[in-house]
Amino acid sequence: MISLLQAEAFKLRRSLVLLVAATPPLMVFALGFLVTASDNGPDMWQMQIMSGSAIWGFFLLPMSAIGLTALQAQLEHAPNTWSHTLALPRPKWQVFLAKAVWAQLILAIVSLLVMIAGILSTLAGLPFSETGRMTDELDWGLALSLYARMYVAAVFVTALQWLIATRFRSFAVAVSVGIGGTFVAVAATSSKWGLYFPWLMPVNILASDPERANLALAYGLGGGVLVYALGIVWLARRDWA
Amino acid sequence: MSAPLPLEIENLSRSFGPVHALRDVTLSVPPGSIYAFLGPNGAGKTTAIRCILGLIRNDAGTVRIAGHDLRKQRTRALASVGAVVETPALFPNLTGRENLALTARVLNHDRAEVERVLEVTEMREAADRRVGQYSLGMRQRIGIARALLGQPRLLILDEPSNGLDPAGIRDMRSLIKALPERENTTVFMSSHLLSEVEQTATHVSLMRKGSTLFSGSLDALAALQPASILIKASPRQEVVDLLENAGFDVAVRDESLQLTHASETGPDTVAGLNRSLVEAGIDVHELRLSKAGLEEMLLRMAHDPEGGEP
């Protein structure tokens, strides 16, 4: 299994996956710097972290999951390397598990970098602002906790996107489902059923009702693990013609 | 007890809906052979190869690789196989060496093994270029190099000469012919290039519409086809009369006559015939023994499949 994980890491070299993974943190840094430097941002760290994570959880995190899983699957689909990868003397389920692990690892790294970029952008923008400082102390624990919980709640949507991207050769299928899901999420934000919609689970971590946030966490993780487990079994058993 | 064969297939069948892609395909690949899997497009060659590699499941039948049943011992069976399926599928963002290192890592081989297969396929100099910049011939070579990692007992090549220019085809032929001895392996390759197979293979399986028409050595296939004698002589009518009286079936083909004999036709027959014609005062311009080429044999079998099996 370790060698399969190493091989999957190897495949990422010079790939678009790494370029796309770098985009969200860079975007967040640029936007955060401009907002802070132009005095349009909050003057409290707590507010800054909450508003930054809201944008991340509502929009950027699902979009990152869509893009990264689709690009990861295209590493095999585009050159049609499945016939090589799946003919190696390794259980097929291990091959897919290694891919799933890397999908989650990449998203974890991107989540961490986005969190850091959000804070660094504010620190970099403050000297250019009129106030030049925040009115409270930076709470790293709050930031880590929020981003980590959002990441866990996003396992469901990541698993769904990963499964669709791996199953279908066309990039368009995964991206269409992802964009459709994100669009529906915008409409369903305030719905009581929104809690059960995978694309909305990350942002539900910010719900004022702690029970709703905990449910989003549980559904996100549980649903994601279930989709990965069933998906890997199905992918390993199906024909790869 | 003798060592198990590199590849044995028994009654392999697979359908896609109403289409029977494979029907009771049976063949045995002897060790050290170059076994060609021949047939037109749609004959079922690639489907069979995908079944052998476990990429698609067969509806019935068994595949044994080096004695291991593919269904029951998939990983042990595939540990004896290196394969290039269709066009060599490589990661274009990686160099040739990185592509090999990637597979070597999964198979637990060291760097020395990567260098060895680069040497065998003469790809060492181009190994550090990205695969996306390779010509098709170079991609084929790197694909074969990757399949040779760990010196597998069975090397499966799907249309290895497809799309190559004449020089590339010649180089590929030389490489494939050298592999059984150099790598102590057995080559199982699909092809529709009959002339290539004729020059490369020791054994052949002829496929048509998912069924095997013939499986065995090229010599056994040739023995199934009666040799004929081609003759150019004049005056033609006298020649025809003389030959028919001697018991030959005579077919007129453009400027020459093609003869088949009820009994075996060989070099002695040709010599005797020449003597008879000269003694009869006939001018003999050309007289030679003609064996049917693979293409002709395949076409004959396609029309008369009953006569195919030895």
Side-chain angles (χ1 to χ4, degrees):
Chain A
M1 189 64 200
I2 297 294
S3 62
L4 282 171
L5 286 169
Q6 288 174 331
E8 287 305 317
F10 217 110
K11 289 175 190 173
L12 298 172
R13 282 190 187 186
R14 295 187 286 274
S15 72
L16 277 176
V17 177
L18 297 183
L19 186 67
V20 170
T23 305
L26 291 174
M27 272 173 56
V28 165
F29 184 87
L31 282 171
F33 175 79
L34 291 172
V35 167
T36 307
S38 59
D39 281 317
N40 287 317
D43 59 358
M44 292 175 68
W45 276 113
Q46 189 179 1
M47 286 294 291
Q48 193 278 344
I49 290 167
M50 295 288 276
S51 59
S53 61
I55 294 169
W56 171 242
F58 188 58
F59 176 68
L60 267 179
L61 175 55
M63 293 303 280
S64 297
I66 295 162
L68 291 170
T69 52
L71 285 170
Q72 187 202 22
Q74 285 300 314
L75 288 176
E76 300 275 1
H77 285 310
N80 202 15
T81 44
W82 287 115
S83 57
H84 167 70
T85 304
L86 296 175
L88 291 171
R90 289 305 174 98
K92 287 182 194 170
W93 67 265
Q94 285 189 6
V95 173
F96 291 113
L97 179 60
K99 288 182 179 297
V101 166
W102 266 105
Q104 286 299 143
L105 268 176
I106 294 167
L107 205 62
I109 293 165
V110 173
S111 290
L112 186 66
L113 290 177
V114 163
M115 183 203 81
I116 293 168
I119 291 170
L120 288 183
S121 66
T122 306
L123 289 172
L126 278 175
F128 299 94
S129 69
E130 281 187 20
T131 56
R133 66 183 189 87
M134 294 298 223
T135 57
D136 61 350
E137 290 295 311
L138 171 58
D139 187 349
W140 281 98
L142 172 70
L144 266 173
S145 164
L146 272 180
Y147 279 85
R149 285 159 64 85
M150 280 185 173
Y151 167 76
V152 173
V155 172
F156 198 171
V157 67
T158 310
L160 280 174
Q161 289 292 149
W162 175 86
L163 179 59
I164 294 165
T166 307
R167 165 60 185 86
F168 294 100
R169 185 178 173 79
S170 170
F171 192 83
V173 178
V175 172
S176 300
V177 170
I179 290 173
T182 309
F183 180 76
V184 172
V186 174
T189 308
S190 55
S191 161
K192 65 175 180 178
W193 299 107
L195 174 61
Y196 307 102
F197 193 59
W199 282 261
L200 272 176
M201 286 176 185
V203 81
N204 267 299
I205 292 297
L206 294 174
S208 52
D209 177 3
E211 191 182 348
R212 190 175 169 95
N214 287 335
L215 279 174
L217 197 67
Y219 291 153
L221 181 61
V225 170
L226 189 67
V227 169
Y228 273 129
L230 295 175
I232 286 169
V233 170
W234 176 57
L235 290 171
R237 289 176 64 85
R238 71 177 292 273
D239 285 345
W240 288 85
Chain B
M1 199 175 135
S2 59
L5 293 175
L7 175 64
E8 292 172 275
I9 297 174
E10 280 177 24
N11 302 318
L12 190 68
S13 297
R14 172 68 204 239
S15 297
F16 296 99
V19 179
H20 296 286
L22 297 173
R23 296 172 198 250
D24 291 326
V25 173
T26 297
L27 57 90
S28 298
V29 178
S33 61
I34 299 178
Y35 199 109
F37 206 39
L38 260 179
N41 291 336
K45 303 187 298 290
T46 299
T47 302
I49 285 178
R50 287 182 177 278
C51 282
I52 293 167
L53 293 172
L55 293 169
I56 59 176
R57 280 178 294 173
N58 42 309
D59 298 331
T62 56
V63 174
R64 273 191 299 278
I65 301 170
H68 301 295
D69 188 310
L70 184 71
R71 188 164 276 188
K72 294 173 186 162
Q73 301 168 288
R74 179 183 166 275
T75 50
R76 291 186 76 179
L78 292 180
S80 301
V81 181
V84 182
V85 183
E86 293 177 309
T87 52
L90 303 158
F91 296 97
N93 51 316
L94 304 179
T95 66
R97 185 175 268 111
E98 286 170 342
N99 267 279
L100 298 182
L102 174 70
T103 301
R105 193 163 293 185
V106 176
L107 299 175
N108 296 321
H109 297 308
D110 57 18
R111 284 182 176 273
E113 179 62 3
V114 171
E115 298 307 315
R116 188 189 71 78
V117 295
L118 283 171
E119 190 71 43
V120 170
T121 52
E122 297 173 9
M123 281 297 291
R124 201 170 240 173
E125 281 183 23
D128 291 319
R129 281 164 55 189
R130 279 198 215 178
V131 163
Q133 300 168 354
Y134 280 6
S135 66
L136 182 60
M138 293 164 84
R139 291 169 68 87
Q140 289 281 21
R141 280 179 176 273
I142 279 288
I144 291 176
R146 186 174 62 180
L148 287 172
L149 285 166
Q151 288 194 290
R153 278 195 67 191
L154 178 66
L155 183 66
I156 296 177
L157 306 175
D158 192 5
E159 305 274 4
S161 300
N162 222 8
L164 298 182
D165 60 22
I169 290 176
R170 187 192 59 216
D171 292 347
M172 186 56 63
R173 187 194 311 145
S174 305
L175 176 63
I176 292 170
K177 285 177 88 165
L179 287 175
E181 196 176 329
R182 186 166 182 178
E183 291 291 295
N184 193 23
T185 190
T186 301
V187 178
F188 181 82
M189 63 174 195
S190 71
S191 182
H192 63 268
L193 300 175
L194 302 173
S195 60
E196 272 310 299
V197 168
E198 230 167 357
Q199 294 178 68
T200 315
T202 58
H203 292 70
V204 65
S205 191
L206 304 180
M207 292 280 293
R208 192 177 67 127
K209 293 182 180 173
S211 301
T212 40
L213 302 177
F214 171 86
S215 292
S217 69
L218 273 182
D219 291 342
L221 179 61
L224 284 175
Q225 306 299 322
S228 61
I229 296 169
L230 282 179
I231 180 169
K232 281 185 189 173
S234 58
R236 179 177 282 197
Q237 194 51 51
E238 280 184 39
V239 178
V240 172
D241 292 343
L242 189 147
L243 294 171
E244 284 180 343
N245 288 337
F248 286 99
D249 285 331
V250 182
V252 179
R253 297 173 109 205
D254 300 328
E255 294 177 2
S256 61
L257 303 170
Q258 184 173 19
L259 319 178
T260 48
H261 199 274
S263 60
E264 190 181 333
T265 303
D268 292 344
T269 319
V270 176
L273 184 60
N274 186 39
R275 203 162 37 244
S276 305
L277 291 169
V278 172
E279 283 171 2
I282 288 168
D283 295 331
V284 179
H285 307 293
E286 186 180 344
L287 179 62
R288 63 185 165 89
L289 193 61
S290 167
K291 283 270 187 183
L294 197 52
E295 183 176 2
E296 197 175 334
M297 287 191 260
L298 186 60
L299 286 171
R300 278 187 205 165
M301 283 196 166
H303 289 109
D304 179 23
E306 295 304 314
E309 288 293 331

